[in-house]
Every structure is written in structure tokens, then in C-alpha cells.
């Protein structure tokens, strides 16, 4: 079954709206199969965002994502990656389609409320950074 990694980013944790975002994603018919609260350290942040290491915003992004605790979730379901990307909206909340999570909860292009894996392959790699296999309660294991 398809999986995606979602991060409820620190800006949402400050405003106490994490539950509302989880609820929206559950309403897409996707299941929470793993969930934890953690504070990403620098090393994890740099690995998770390694693809952006040469971008001008990398340093600021790593500082931000490791600045406070966040919630990491594995969602499972048919088309999970695409469904979540669509529900999130564009990276910049100012350009995100109306009623998307980033349009409704994002503050800036950096503090944009959520992360969602951009492909099935990326999802598998990202999930391994945050969860051991025995922490993931896939439907077929229940
Ligand atoms: P995505 O999260 O929509 O896949 P990416 O381009 O992969 O967007 O960027 C990863 C994260 O880096 C974004 O979610 C956002 O937090 C941050 N970011 C992206 N572009 C910028 C920028 O131009 N300035 C500051 N932060 C950015
Ligand atoms: Mg991306």
C-alpha cells in the first residue's frame, strides 16, 4: 500500500492547529499508520532536505525545521502521495490554491505548515529517516 511522510512543521505546532491538519488528511480516506512528536536535530534536517543543500534558503530552512518540536506522520492509502500533495497546495502559501492546507495554515514560503513526500520513492526514503519498520502499523499488520 502506498505511503507518504507528512511533517506538521513548527509554525503549526506554535498555533495549536496540528489536529486540524491531520483531520483534513484523514478525510481524504488516508490512514495514520505511524506518528511521533520529535525535535529534528541538524543532522536529520540536513538529510531530510539534502536535495536542497545548494539552494540559498537551505541554511534558514534547516534552522527553522530544527527550531522546535514537530509531528511526523506516515499516511497510508491508495494514491497517498498525490492526494496529500494536492491537499497541501503550492509551496508558497500566497500562491497555494484556495482551501488547501498551505493556503489556510501557511505563513510564508518557508513556514508553510506541512511537508508531504513528492513521490513514492522519496516517501520510502523519507519514512526510513523517521521511523523503524516496527513503528509503522500498516493495515495488513493490524
Ligand atoms: P515542497 O515542500 O512544496 O516540496 P520544496 O521546493 O521541496 O517544496 O522546498 C522544501 C521546503 O523548503 C519548502 O516546503 C519550504 O519550507 C522551503 N522553501 C522552498 N522554497 C523556499 C524559498 O524560496 N525560500 C525559503 N524557503 C523555501
Ligand atoms: Mg519538495
Amino acid at each position: 500500500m502506498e505511503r507518504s511522510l507528512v511533517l506538521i512543521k513548527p509554525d503549526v505546532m506554535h498555533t495549536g492547529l496540528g489536529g486540524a491538519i491531520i483531520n483534513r488528511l484523514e478525510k481524504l480516506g488516508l490512514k495514520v499508520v505511524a506518528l511521533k512528536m520529535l525535535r529534528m536535530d541538524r543532522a536529520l534536517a540536513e538529510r531530510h532536505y539534502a536535495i536542497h543543500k545548494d539552494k540559498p534558503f537551505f541554511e534558514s530552512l534547516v534552522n527553522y525545521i530544527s527550531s522546535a518540536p514537530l509531528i511526523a506522520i506516515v499516511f497510508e492509502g491508495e494514491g497517498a502521495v498525490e492526494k496529500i500533495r494536492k491537499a497541501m497546495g503550492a509551496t508558497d502559501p500566497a500562491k497555494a490554491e484556495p482551501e488547501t492546507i498551505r493556503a489556510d495554515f501557511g505563513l510564508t514560503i518557508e513556514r508553510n505548515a506541512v511537508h508531504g513526500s513528492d513521490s513514492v520513492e522519496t516517501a520510502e526514503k523519507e519514512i526510513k529517516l523517521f521511523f523503524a519498520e516496527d513503528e509503522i502499523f500498516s493495515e495488513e499488520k493490524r
Side-chain angles (χ1 to χ4, degrees):
M1 186 54 92
E2 192 170 312
R3 294 169 175 178
S4 178
L5 178 79
V6 168
L7 300 177
I8 310 281
K9 294 184 177 182
D11 54 288
V12 177
M13 302 302 291
H14 288 304
T15 54
L17 294 167
I21 293 177
I22 295 170
N23 191 241
R24 282 201 193 192
L25 296 174
E26 287 180 326
K27 278 186 186 157
L28 301 175
L30 302 172
K31 285 237 155 49
V32 173
V33 295
L35 184 152
K36 67 172 72 161
M37 186 167 177
L38 75 153
R39 182 162 171 174
M40 287 171 74
D41 62 17
R42 245 202 118 69
L44 177 58
E46 286 178 356
R47 284 180 77 190
H48 176 71
Y49 282 125
I51 195 167
H52 297 302
K53 68 178 187 309
D54 297 326
K55 305 265 172 64
F57 59 81
F58 181 70
E59 189 59 25
S60 174
L61 175 62
V62 165
N63 285 338
Y64 157 61
I65 207 74
S66 58
S67 67
L70 49 65
I71 296 174
I73 308 166
V74 179
F75 276 96
E76 191 176 82
E78 217 182 297
V81 166
E82 190 56 36
K83 279 182 184 164
I84 291 169
R85 294 290 293 191
K86 218 170 154 224
M88 282 172 23
T91 306
D92 184 353
K95 294 180 187 146
E97 302 71 11
E99 291 175 42
T100 57
I101 292 167
R102 283 166 164 173
D104 290 348
F105 299 96
L107 303 176
T108 66
I109 190 166
E110 179 180 79
R111 297 171 184 240
N112 60 359
V114 279
H115 166 84
S117 306
D118 64 9
S119 72
V120 174
E121 300 72 55
T122 313
E124 290 305 319
K125 284 187 207 147
E126 290 180 348
I127 288 166
K128 284 196 178 79
L129 295 177
F130 290 83
F131 295 95
E133 200 51 46
D134 67 359
E135 295 176 309
I136 305 173
F137 298 88
S138 285
E139 281 287 277
E140 58 264 31
K141 281 202 280 181
R142 293 186 196 190

